[in-house]
Structures are given as C-alpha cells and as structure tokens.
Amino acid sequence: MGIFSKYHRYREAGEQANVVNVERYGEPARSLFTSTKFFSLHQATDITDDKEQVVYQSKSKFLSLHDKTDVTDASGRQVAHIERKFWTLHERHYVTMGDGTKFELSNELWHLVKDVTNIEGLGWKLQGNIAGLNFQLYDADGSIIAVISQKMFSVHDKYCIDIYRPEAEETVVAILVTLQHMMRDRASSAAASSSSSSSSSN
C-alpha cells in the first residue's frame, strides 16, 4: 500500500472504495461525490452518485455575511438550510433540516494536526486529519457514520463521501456541505493573514 493511499483517500466516481476505509469500516452503503461551480453568482455544488447522476445540490446566497446556503434534492425538495454565525471565536454553523431538525457545528480550537468539530443537537463528532484531507463522522457511541475525503489541488473543490448509515444520508450531506464552507473560510482566512503579514513586512 502506498503512503499516498494510506493518508489521502479521495477517489473518483466509479473507482473502488479506498482500501484503508474498507479494512477499518467495511464497504460503504453508498458513496457520493461533489463538484463546486465557483464562477456563478450563487456558489453551487452538485452532489452526485457513483453513476455521476445529480442527487443533491447546494446554492449559497451571493455576498452573504452569514453564508446562507440551501441544500435541495434532485427534485428541488428542501433538504437543509445552513448559516454561519458571524463574529465568533469558534467556527460555528447552524443547520436546519427539511423536517425541522436543528443542530450546530462548532469547531474546537487549538488542535494542531487534527480538527474536532462537535455537532451539537445530534451528539455526533467530526474528526479530521488536515494533512491528509480526510474526515470521519461518528455518532454519540463512537460508531462510524461516514468518511469524507477531499481531493488535493482541485479547482472544483471535490469531495468523496462514503456513507455507512444510509438512513442518515441527508443529515450527512448537510454536514458535508457545511464542512466545505468551513474549509473554504479557513483557506480564505489563512490567505488574508498571509497577505497581511507580507504587506506589513515590506
């Protein structure tokens, strides 16, 4: 097994599930894939299945401080609404599912290698390996729900998600979309900080 496949587990639709994931968690019940369209007024993400058929879409409001985002299924039915809390030390997002279920994602600070995101209202936890761009979603008992992997150096911000609890699929999709936004916010913040430091040193 190569070191790349061990630490970075992204795969394209039609490819076999990552061997490390299969060894640890078994074959996923379903896998989904994302591709984001950045060059539109409404930042849009298609979420497709193994056959590259769109099953969900997310769209964000243009120039929204709260990063308001709606997730719908292929028929246009509302699956979830997501908003970012502005001015907070923690990366916090609020999610309201189509059935009225509400929960929050709050990132724990000060983790150098691994991220820990608490999903308040569900009791779930999202743990991430930033270097490998891999994330595991666990329930309150520590059982695996899904594994999320991000593609390196992708202009379309691609993710693969292996779902082990199909009954939780829509909630997992909402968490995936929120994670994408959290990662983008972090990248933008890092870029702004780097630019500021460079300007002050000149």
Side-chain angles (χ1 to χ4, degrees):
M1 181 191 306
I3 192 168
F4 184 81
S5 62
K6 179 178 181 181
Y7 292 105
H8 184 64
R9 306 178 200 170
Y10 176 85
R11 65 187 173 92
E12 299 282 357
E15 296 179 351
Q16 292 186 333
N18 179 272
V19 292
V20 176
N21 290 351
V22 173
E23 288 174 0
R24 292 183 180 178
Y25 312 115
E27 290 284 348
R30 178 164 160 91
S31 296
L32 299 174
F33 307 85
T34 75
S35 182
T36 300
K37 305 167 188 173
F38 288 106
F39 306 108
S40 63
L41 287 179
H42 298 277
Q43 183 173 282
T45 298
D46 288 338
I47 302 171
T48 58
D49 59 17
D50 274 316
K51 295 180 175 58
E52 301 186 349
Q53 298 297 308
V54 175
V55 287
Y56 301 99
Q57 289 184 311
S58 75
K59 289 186 179 180
S60 301
K61 289 196 174 180
F62 183 58
L63 295 178
S64 168
L65 285 177
H66 295 279
D67 195 22
K68 294 181 179 180
T69 301
D70 288 304
V71 182
T72 56
D73 67 11
S75 68
R77 178 180 61 87
Q78 180 83 0
V79 172
H81 177 77
I82 303 164
E83 291 191 23
R84 175 182 61 208
K85 183 175 182 180
F86 205 57
W87 303 121
T88 176
L89 288 175
H90 294 262
E91 297 169 319
R92 185 179 290 272
H93 287 70
Y94 300 101
V95 181
T96 303
M97 299 299 296
D99 64 2
T101 301
K102 296 183 178 182
F103 55 90
E104 302 173 17
L105 276 74
S106 176
N107 200 57
E108 294 182 9
L109 302 180
W110 323 125
H111 290 268
L112 297 180
V113 178
K114 289 190 176 181
D115 256 353
V116 179
T117 300
N118 296 309
I119 304 174
E120 302 166 18
L122 297 180
W124 296 1
K125 185 166 289 190
L126 185 67
Q127 295 184 347
N129 181 316
I130 302 305
L133 300 176
N134 301 310
F135 303 86
Q136 294 81 42
L137 180 63
Y138 298 99
D139 67 13
D141 297 323
S143 298
I144 193 70
I145 299 172
V147 177
I148 302 169
S149 302
Q150 184 182 10
K151 184 176 183 179
M152 289 182 176
F153 315 120
S154 170
V155 295
H156 295 289
D157 197 24
K158 291 188 173 183
Y159 285 74
C160 162
I161 181 164
D162 290 333
I163 301 172
Y164 293 88
R165 298 261 288 275
E167 73 278 5
E169 179 174 305
E170 292 190 351
T171 304
V172 172
V173 167
I175 292 170
L176 166 65
V177 172
T178 307
L179 173 65
Q180 286 182 294
H181 284 253
M182 293 172 76
M183 295 291 285
R184 287 177 207 146
D185 288 348
R186 183 172 300 184
S188 297
S189 178
S193 177
S194 175
S195 176
S196 176
S197 297
S198 176
S199 298
S200 62
S201 64
N202 292 334

